[in-house]
Amino acid sequence: MNHIAPGARAGIYHYDEIDRQFVAERVEQFRKQVERRLSGELTEEEFKPIRLMNGLYLQLHAYMLRIAVPYGVMSATQLRKLSAIGRKYDRGYGHFTTRQNLQYNWIKLEDTPAILHELAEVDMHALQTSGNCVRNVTTDPFVGAARDEVVDGRVYAEILRQWTTMHPEFTYLPRKFKIAISGAESDRAAVRIHDVGLLARRNEKGEPGFSFYVGGGLGRSPFVGKLVREWVAQEDFVAYLEAILRVYNQYGRRDNIYKARIKILVHELGLEKFTQEVEEEFARLRGPKYRLDPEVVEAIRQHFAPPPLEELPDHSDALERAKAADPAFANWVAVNVAEHKAPGYAIATVSLKPAGGIPGDATCDQMDLVADLAERYSFGELRVTHVQNLVLAHVKKDDLYDLWKQLDAAELGSANAGLIGDIIACPGLDYCALANARSIPLAQAISARFADPVRQRTIGELGIKISGCINACGHHHVGAIGILGVDKKGTEYYQITVGGDPTLTTAIGDILGPAVTETEAVDAIEAIVDVYLANRSDEGERFIDTLRRVGHAPFKERIYAAD
Amino acid sequence: MKAITANRLRDGEVVFLGKDGVWVESFAAAALFPRAEADGVLAAAKEKAEREQFGVDIYAFEVVEQDGVPVPATMRERIRTAGPTVRLDLGKQAA
Ligand code: HEM
Ligand code: SF4
């Protein structure tokens, strides 16, 4: 783990020679495996697990390649490479996902080694984006920039990346394993719906430590992660996580894929027994081998040193003038711009959700533009969010207007972050081999219905999340309004849930009533919004709070009254 | 009626079993088999595809007649024969 690259640039972790050589070797190995598959030396049965280990799935229309964006942070150079690959080997676009990954939908098996080779040129790969291993660790997309940040989650996510990459013990877990870290006061990483969710905090002495939530997850049996330990000191970070993984590796069910995730283990053993097992393993492991050396942490932290920010007044006259002159811009600032820890800077969310568009899709031209803008306005660095948007994390307030005008001209300037137009949708039946129903057309119809930015702001914070099947890739369980596609005798239907919440007050939504058709679904969403607007105590009461206060009845009545 | 489909191994393209056991890219050229025959044809096609390293994920699907034309019975197969419903510029429908 202790291999740190010298001379790194701010904000981005750079591979060292060990990493580079490892990835290069894996690419060459895969190239030979593909050749052997194409020549018939390997059967599909033999080859499938190999291609999955390299992020290559077979979807409806072609192969799909999933690229890891470690903890969602990448450089403009990397994004430009993603766009170049999309243009050369795919159909001119890519799809950003809820796991801070990028997926290409039209990949040829025979091109895949060349693509992986090109990715490796910019220190990227598709390893551990599939299979029963520790997947890409996700974190707060505002990491390193948010004003409410207490601990920089990238540092620990990078430690985990180094520790878990090809870790022999954790390459064949009972099932895939997802870890999320958040180090801010608000949770922007949905930590409690992950197998392990970490909240990084500081104690009275200012030392970093972690609360461990275990056994969260969506899918067939959704669970909210349970608090297993309130405080794990930094030096025990690796040991504690290793203890959890060992207990899971030992007791997790391998006989039944539906019961294999750690959430089922925690549920079946009970929190107390599970915690006891972990604590016992932790007591055994704790010691020099697993002690996280502060020097290692410090060396990694250096990679994430803040960019060379200027000393600026927090107030920007240029920004205020632009807002006064251009109401559309003022609206975007109010909705898509967040507070930066440094005065005079801001965090800008680039919406990949134009009204009527496909959530998470970006054309290669758009990717190139965002890469250019990241270089011009945000130190050449950007992030992918788990709600399928992009973020420029260090923009001078003075530059926001120029930035927005260029984004808006490329359909990237929608002012809808966190609003009803900011819909998560999985690929659904338009692409996905497992889907029961389409997700994207519904997202498009809903976002078109609520296209008016003024109406969106009137409605306020409201997350709609859509999945095309029970696997819940679209996070529908934690949508304030969740939509699940189901198949009824060959026809697509949609099951509506309400009350889901991905933040620290995590909640799984409840089913509102019988599934409805696609056309009915859009009207049903509108009816739910109307009932909310009619019932909220004042303009500041969020949808979720009104729902918690008044219950389901008024919503149910309105939607199902006619039945 | 049933048709038999696969994804072409080397590029993932959706293909259908056509006349004389030749794989074709267009559903319009797919051979249709009475239900009773489909299982036998499928087994033979699987065996052949494996031998020739041609296709993966081979299976039979239901076809119905609509306005006198055969169409896949399910939305899933309609999407596979045409392309994503949300991007008419992609997939076979774009050609
Ligand atoms: C298209 C190819 C995909 C396939 C075959 C696929 C497959 C699956 C499966 C089988 C599960 C359930 C796993 C379990 O609970 O054990 C799952 C869960 C999940 N997938 Fe996907 N998925 C795909 C695409 C995506 C995309 C595009 C996203 C993001 C937009 C995504 C993000 C997730 C998330 C967030 C879960 C949540 C469940 C959890 O782990 O708690 N997946 N996926
Ligand atoms: S939720 Fe289902 S339909 Fe959607 S991407 Fe995941 S597996 Fe596919």
Side-chain angles (χ1 to χ4, degrees):
Chain A
M1 182 209 302
N2 203 351
H3 49 272
I4 308 298
R9 248 199 349 222
I12 303 272
Y13 188 84
H14 280 257
Y15 279 15
D16 64 6
E17 279 317 306
I18 300 172
D19 291 322
R20 275 202 189 102
Q21 195 186 338
F22 169 74
V23 173
E25 279 167 12
R26 283 293 301 259
V27 172
E28 284 319 300
Q29 184 187 37
F30 188 58
R31 187 187 301 279
K32 294 199 187 92
Q33 288 161 332
V34 170
E35 280 165 17
R36 288 167 62 207
R37 175 68 187 110
L38 291 173
S39 73
E41 265 179 77
L42 287 175
T43 63
E44 184 62 13
E45 204 186 329
E46 289 162 336
F47 181 66
K48 190 174 170 184
I50 296 172
R51 74 163 151 76
L52 287 176
M53 280 181 151
N54 289 278
L56 193 66
Y57 289 74
L58 185 62
Q59 291 269 50
L60 290 189
H61 313 288
Y63 291 93
M64 178 273 275
L65 183 64
R66 184 181 287 161
I67 317 289
V69 180
Y71 29 94
V73 179
M74 67 181 146
S75 67
T77 311
Q78 290 174 322
L79 182 59
R80 241 179 237 121
K81 177 58 90 178
L82 293 177
S83 114
I85 290 171
R87 224 175 250 125
K88 187 163 162 194
Y89 300 102
D90 202 87
R91 305 286 164 93
Y93 73 106
H95 181 71
F96 288 98
T97 82
T98 44
R99 304 232 63 256
Q100 298 184 312
N101 291 322
L102 177 98
Q103 294 185 176
Y104 295 114
N105 287 309
W106 302 88
I107 294 299
K108 295 179 176 159
L109 173 61
E110 56 191 2
D111 287 340
T112 312
I115 297 172
L116 295 177
H117 180 78
E118 290 205 21
L119 282 171
E121 288 172 0
V122 294
D123 295 350
M124 296 186 93
H125 59 71
L127 299 170
Q128 295 187 200
T129 60
S130 175
N132 296 337
C133 53
V134 178
R135 302 285 186 90
N136 186 26
V137 176
T138 52
T139 191
D140 181 353
F142 294 176
V143 70
R147 202 162 274 187
D148 69 346
E149 181 167 279
V150 190
V151 174
D152 186 337
R154 283 172 303 185
V155 175
Y156 303 93
E158 174 55 29
I159 289 169
L160 289 186
R161 188 189 69 80
Q162 295 189 13
W163 172 56
T164 61
T165 300
M166 306 317 289
H167 188 308
E169 223 180 299
F170 305 141
T171 305
Y172 298 97
L173 292 166
R175 198 75 176 88
K176 58 174 161 180
F177 204 86
K178 300 175 178 175
I179 304 175
I181 304 186
S182 166
E185 277 160 29
S186 26
D187 175 6
R188 287 174 288 261
V191 294
R192 291 184 72 193
I193 55 163
H194 286 75
D195 295 291
V196 167
L198 294 159
L199 284 184
R201 293 285 180 258
R202 288 184 192 277
N203 63 13
E204 318 76 62
K205 290 188 213 147
E207 299 158 341
F210 305 86
S211 296
F212 273 72
Y213 290 88
V214 183
L218 305 178
R220 194 171 299 258
S221 330
F223 283 102
V224 175
K226 297 176 181 66
L227 184 64
V228 170
R229 208 182 219 257
E230 177 81 45
W231 182 260
V232 173
Q234 174 179 286
E235 65 166 31
D236 293 328
F237 172 65
V238 168
Y240 203 77
L241 201 48
E242 178 115 4
I244 290 170
L245 280 161
R246 283 204 176 168
V247 170
Y248 174 51
N249 216 355
Q250 185 181 353
Y251 294 103
R253 288 183 62 168
R254 289 183 152 86
D255 60 326
N256 181 340
I257 191 174
Y258 301 116
K259 298 194 170 173
R261 300 283 297 268
I262 198 171
K263 62 191 177 185
I264 305 292
L265 178 66
V266 174
H267 181 67
E268 289 189 348
L269 274 185
L271 181 60
E272 203 177 323
K273 175 84 177 121
F274 175 82
T275 307
Q276 186 194 332
E277 291 283 343
V278 170
E279 290 291 332
E280 281 169 19
E281 188 61 39
F282 175 53
R284 276 194 287 276
L285 284 177
R286 211 172 188 178
K289 180 163 176 237
Y290 287 98
R291 194 174 147 269
L292 183 56
D293 190 339
E295 279 173 29
V296 169
V297 180
E298 193 42 46
I300 291 180
R301 193 186 311 286
Q302 303 271 317
H303 286 257
F304 301 111
L309 301 165
E310 290 168 41
E311 265 188 47
L312 298 171
D314 203 30
H315 181 89
S316 159
D317 289 334
L319 171 61
E320 295 311 319
R321 273 197 306 274
K323 274 163 54 176
D326 190 336
F329 171 64
N331 189 45
W332 181 78
V333 172
V335 176
N336 283 40
V337 173
E339 299 260 38
H340 196 284
K341 37 170 101 154
Y345 284 87
I347 305 170
T349 295
V350 178
S351 171
L352 296 179
K353 323 280 177 69
I358 298 178
D361 272 11
T363 66
C364 293
D365 290 347
Q366 287 176 324
M367 288 191 235
D368 283 341
L369 174 71
V370 175
D372 290 347
L373 296 175
E375 264 167 6
R376 206 169 316 151
Y377 300 113
S378 195
F379 303 93
E381 182 241 292
L382 65 141
R383 294 95 189 282
V384 184
T385 82
H386 83 273
V387 289
Q388 305 179 286
N389 289 320
L390 300 176
V391 162
L392 298 179
H394 314 283
V395 183
K396 264 193 231 175
K397 286 182 177 174
D398 286 353
D399 289 337
L400 282 170
Y401 193 40
D402 285 343
L403 169 69
W404 177 74
K405 279 188 285 190
Q406 293 170 74
L407 288 173
D408 204 40
E411 291 205 345
L412 294 167
S414 298
N416 56 14
L419 303 184
I420 197 167
D422 192 6
I423 299 170
I424 292 182
C426 80
L429 196 50
D430 280 299
Y431 294 96
C432 178
L434 304 176
N436 287 321
R438 288 172 295 162
S439 314
I440 298 168
L442 199 48
Q444 292 179 299
I446 296 168
S447 73
R449 178 79 66 95
F450 292 95
D452 178 7
V454 177
R455 188 172 175 211
Q456 289 204 45
R457 261 189 90 186
T458 307
I459 297 165
E461 185 185 320
L462 203 175
I464 296 186
K465 307 188 197 297
I466 310 174
S467 303
C469 80
I470 196 63
N471 286 324
C473 304
H475 284 185
H476 68 277
H477 290 112
V478 289
I481 301 177
I483 303 175
L484 166 65
V486 292
D487 173 283
K488 282 194 190 175
K489 297 200 179 97
T491 308
E492 297 163 293
Y493 273 82
Y494 297 89
Q495 176 80 72
I496 299 174
T497 57
V498 290
D501 174 3
T503 68
L504 282 178
T505 41
T506 315
I508 305 290
D510 302 304
I511 294 172
L512 199 58
V516 298
T517 63
E518 184 187 332
T519 354
E520 288 167 348
V522 184
D523 291 334
I525 302 304
E526 189 151 32
I528 291 172
V529 169
D530 287 345
V531 172
Y532 154 61
L533 291 176
N535 280 277
R536 68 180 174 186
S537 55
D538 61 66
E539 279 178 24
E541 191 178 51
R542 301 176 308 162
F543 170 80
I544 187 88
D545 298 321
T546 304
L547 180 79
R548 282 174 182 158
R549 185 170 52 77
V550 306
H552 293 181
F555 295 92
K556 259 190 186 158
E557 258 162 46
R558 176 68 175 274
I559 294 174
Y560 298 104
D563 292 359
Chain B
M1 298 296 271
K2 286 195 166 187
I4 290 173
T5 184
N7 288 80
R8 197 156 57 200
L9 170 67
R10 84 187 145 72
D11 60 2
E13 178 78 30
V14 174
V15 289
F16 305 92
L17 196 60
K19 291 192 197 76
D20 311 318
V22 180
W23 292 96
V24 294
E25 288 189 19
S26 156
F27 175 69
L32 301 179
F33 307 95
R35 271 201 202 163
E37 276 174 40
D39 284 351
V41 180
L42 176 61
K46 274 189 178 169
E47 197 264 328
K48 185 165 180 277
E50 186 66 55
R51 194 161 17 95
E52 294 172 353
Q53 302 308 319
F54 184 81
V56 289
D57 222 1
I58 305 166
Y59 60 92
F61 65 91
E62 198 76 30
V63 176
V64 292
E65 208 163 284
Q66 221 172 54
D67 306 326
V69 205
V71 290
T74 63
M75 177 61 81
R76 182 183 196 276
E77 296 311 322
R78 285 202 290 276
I79 290 173
R80 280 182 85 249
T81 60
T85 63
V86 292
R87 287 287 304 266
L88 302 182
D89 59 326
L90 297 176
K92 297 178 193 296
Q93 63 199 351

